[in-house]
Amino acid sequence: MVSNTSQRLARLRALVVDDMPAMRQNIHTQLGQIGIGHVDQAGTPDEAVSFIRRSGYDLVLCDYNLNRETNGQQLLEFLRTQGLITPATMFIMITAESSYDMVAAAVEFQPDAYMIKPLTGGKLLERIERLLDKQNALRPIADRLKLKDAAGAVAECDRTMAAQPKWALDILKIKGAALLELGDPEQAETAYRQALAMRADLLWARMGVARCHQAAGRLAEAREAAQQVLEQDARHVPAYDLLAALAEAQGEQREALDILSRSYEVVPSARRSRLVGDSAYRAGDLALARSAFERTLNHTRGSLTAQPADLLSLAQVQIDGGEADAALKLLAAAPKHYAESERFVAARHAVQAQAHVKLGDRAAAAQAFEAARAASAELRADDSALALAKAAFSLGRDDEGADILARAVKADHENRRMVALARKVLRDSGKEALAPAVVDRALDEVTAILSEANAQMRNAQFDASLATLERALAVMPENTAVLLAAAQLHLLWMSQKGLNRDYVAKVNGYLARLDALMPGSERVAKMYRFLRETLSRAGKGQP
Amino acid sequence: MNNQTVALIVHDIKNALSVLEGELEALSTEPERERARLAWRTCGALREKLIGFLTLYRASTSGLEPRVEAVSPEDFLRGVLADNLHRRDGVALRVESRHAPTLAFFDEHLVSLALDAAIQNAMRFAHTAVTLACAAGDTAGIVFSVRDDGPGLAGTEQAVPPSTGLGSQLCHAVAAAHRGDCRLYDAAGGGAVFELRLP
């Protein structure tokens, strides 16, 4: 056992992130003394990110106080949201004695452990050993999850829980989430209630129950449960998000906005304020949208967590609010490296074109519009397509605007936010009358293609159905419904006629795209399961 | 935290610093591994005192807010033992976790501060052993205990040197933050027991 642990420690790759060289060196020495094989040091968040991009780490020890622009929590959020560290990376947040409860109280992204300064070799060793122990115990579950095999993960949860009762709560948490992903809210609720029987005030388990209500369509109960979580702890951010989503699903845009604004007061992060800005813009509250996006930019100024889209959002809000001058100034002051992104360049031209129209400079507007069109080689269902459509309408090029908007809707017709924003573009441009011809027709067209493909599939006209979907994908390569249908059709074909390597590659391609477009989706997980079953049947020599 | 307590604690810290100073001075003239180890321990104990002081200060100003998590008490006690600085020659420090529940809910950092203080106190009176144990509470929760085989409470009256009360105040603050309680009493078979009960 002892030699086992020391062998594992010797194989670990660790990164220490601290702005104070003496502290960094101190931890470095201690990690060396407890036998960790490889230790790198980073003095700034940017340095940490470049180290992490270059090579993966098993362990990141990060001080909470890094520099004025970015703290340890923001760095963790950035690493997790950008997928730079995997769930297998152990992230330990180091805080000062005086600030630890404040730091840990309200956060969206939990580190694997908090440790309080000063660190000693003994404490570090004990904590790392415990994290390794947990990782070891939960490995069979993690392996299933890595393969997107939620059903397999649930089975592993039951096995592991019997063998390793001390990790029962961690296991129940994973089990509940996996069951929800599998579309089984009843069983998921049982798992969460099992956790609550061990401790009635577990916030994540109470939130789990709320999500089960939501998944089962019991929206009033879901709201009530989330509300009760906030009564227990008003800083629990996931409860706000669920309440906002529930309000929005019931058409209460204003209520959703109020809830998100409250969540920003709890966790005043760039991410929170971005959510407020987006919700306010959709609800038509330009003043609030403006202040929220300004705050987002203030939060991330000079930091690696800055996102070009925030600048564009604020500029769009300024133009809509009659401040075209300010919008142009803002865009002109964008950091130079933003221009490396084609999507940013295209969207910036589109927003600039609208500003020029407002300022009466039609020549500059037309020029910017052409530049935007040239830069948007592939039209996607995103804010930049909406800005381009808006620019077209403001230049009086209604046909072009309608065409862009229709294509954006078709690109991802099940994306409700996108469809709602497309309608808003028409409303804002005074073209509401075009909605049936543009938005509704686009929705109908995609639906028609999908039902045609489905009908062909039901009539066993596989090749015809494939051709229909291929045609659809050529014009809407990111439409999630079409991608799902295409994946399903190829899998059905193989379940009838046997394995086809080209089709397996195609299905993997669709699923990878879907993963990026709708992470954590239950429908995508189902398709992965179907793929695995197909492959395993083929492996056993069955058709 | 009243002024008298603060003065006592600062005085105590000053004394510990003087001890460290002496140890380091001896080391500077005659470097020796055992002396270095002693100075290192004194330094650690001093750090622990300062953390205790700061925690108590926080408890009396903004209040302590425990970060309650699910923890395996057995793992936790092993960690407390591994990191403990208060060793005395001839006195063993043992962990007794036979009756420990699989999981319990408490703030590890705060509880380890309280237990370290209790261990330090027990070490002052123990003849041969200090036993750190835990068990499930009567109805719910968990009970940690630190037991010594010294003279018991009556015998501690004449003990030297007298303590500042920092440890005892810290334990009360940690118990209160968890809505639990703590007490010190004579053990049935001799010696004294410190008990920390958390819901």
Side-chain angles (χ1 to χ4, degrees), chain B residues 36-197:
Chain B
R37 193 176 287 278
L38 202 64
W40 172 51
R41 282 239 196 107
T42 310
C43 202
L46 191 53
R47 161 178 53 78
E48 212 169 72
K49 271 201 176 82
L50 283 166
I51 290 175
F53 175 62
L54 289 170
T55 307
L56 210 50
Y57 173 73
R58 202 149 49 91
S60 66
T61 50
S62 54
L64 292 181
E65 191 177 352
R67 199 179 130 72
V68 174
E69 286 185 303
V71 184
S72 150
E74 200 182 339
D75 286 354
F76 168 71
L77 289 186
R78 212 180 304 131
V80 171
L81 183 72
D83 204 44
N84 197 274
L85 296 156
H86 310 289
R87 299 298 168 94
R88 232 181 72 202
D89 284 342
V91 179
L93 178 59
R94 290 196 290 253
V95 165
E96 172 62 68
S97 55
R98 252 182 317 170
H99 303 294
T102 314
L103 275 179
F105 298 84
F106 55 91
D107 181 318
E108 281 192 69
H109 171 65
L110 290 179
V111 173
S112 73
L113 290 182
L115 292 184
D116 279 338
I119 292 169
Q120 189 196 1
N121 191 51
M123 279 285 172
R124 291 163 59 212
F125 303 107
H127 291 315
T128 62
V130 170
T131 309
L132 180 60
C134 82
D138 296 334
T139 49
I142 185 161
V143 185
F144 290 101
S145 64
V146 178
R147 180 179 174 164
D148 66 63
D149 59 356
L153 293 191
T156 61
E157 303 290 319
Q158 311 93 300
V160 281
S163 79
T164 55
L166 170 68
S168 148
Q169 286 191 46
L170 186 59
C171 291
H172 278 104
V174 170
H178 283 84
R179 296 171 196 280
D181 58 53
C182 65
R183 61 189 182 129
L184 192 59
Y185 59 92
D186 279 321
V193 183
F194 164 81
E195 217 174 66
L196 177 65
R197 297 179 160 268

Side-chain angles (χ1 to χ4, degrees), chain A residues 298-347:
Chain A
N298 282 336
H299 277 301
T300 58
R301 182 158 296 127
S303 161
L304 61 97
T305 56
Q307 291 187 9
D310 294 333
L311 206 72
L312 294 165
S313 301
L314 178 58
Q316 184 68 64
V317 171
Q318 285 173 328
I319 291 170
D320 288 11
E323 300 172 277
D325 250 341
L328 286 178
K329 277 198 198 108
L330 180 72
L331 291 175
K336 288 214 165 40
H337 69 272
Y338 282 9
E340 289 162 18
S341 152
E342 262 182 39
R343 288 174 91 164
F344 175 77
V345 171

Side-chain angles (χ1 to χ4, degrees), chain A residues 170-298:
Chain A
D170 298 272
I171 295 169
L172 286 170
K173 194 174 185 177
I174 300 172
K175 188 179 171 185
L179 283 163
L180 270 178
E181 197 180 309
L182 288 168
D184 190 345
E186 270 66 43
Q187 287 298 317
E189 190 174 336
T190 307
Y192 291 126
R193 298 243 178 244
Q194 218 178 321
L196 289 169
M198 293 167 78
R199 178 94 181 178
D201 61 0
L202 294 172
L203 291 170
W204 60 263
R206 298 182 67 184
M207 276 309 295
V209 172
R211 287 203 186 90
C212 292
H213 288 315
Q214 181 196 26
R218 298 186 294 266
L219 301 190
E221 280 100 323
R223 271 179 131 160
E224 169 82 24
Q227 220 30 282
Q228 282 172 0
V229 167
L230 288 184
E231 278 160 30
Q232 186 188 323
D233 185 349
R235 296 165 305 184
H236 196 64
V237 174
Y240 292 99
D241 286 346
L242 180 61
L243 282 171
L246 289 165
E248 190 150 354
Q250 292 177 296
E252 298 163 26
Q253 191 79 46
R254 192 72 227 181
E255 170 75 5
L257 178 55
D258 288 345
I259 294 166
L260 287 175
S261 299
R262 270 160 56 207
S263 81
Y264 173 79
E265 284 160 26
V266 174
V267 178
S269 67
R271 190 182 126 78
R272 288 277 120 204
S273 123
R274 189 177 296 128
L275 288 174
V276 173
D278 190 58
S279 174
Y281 183 65
R282 279 182 291 138
D285 188 338
L286 287 177
L288 182 54
R290 185 179 192 275
S291 67
F293 283 124
E294 275 170 357
R295 269 188 327 224
T296 311
L297 289 175
N298 282 336

Side-chain angles (χ1 to χ4, degrees), chain A residues 438-501:
Chain A
V438 177
V439 181
D440 297 322
R441 192 152 90 202
L443 292 171
D444 291 344
E445 276 177 28
V446 189
T447 316
I449 294 177
L450 282 168
S451 25
E452 186 189 345
N454 269 328
Q456 289 164 329
M457 191 155 66
R458 270 197 305 277
N459 294 331
Q461 297 170 287
F462 282 116
D463 296 331
S465 182
L466 276 185
T468 306
L469 289 176
E470 293 282 355
R471 247 191 346 264
L473 278 177
V475 283
M476 41 184 127
E478 291 194 337
N479 185 302
T480 52
V482 178
L483 283 166
L484 277 166
Q488 188 185 21
L489 185 65
H490 283 86
L491 288 165
L492 278 174
W493 188 94
M494 287 190 278
S495 68
Q496 303 265 322
K497 305 191 179 176
L499 207 63
N500 176 320
R501 287 286 154 205

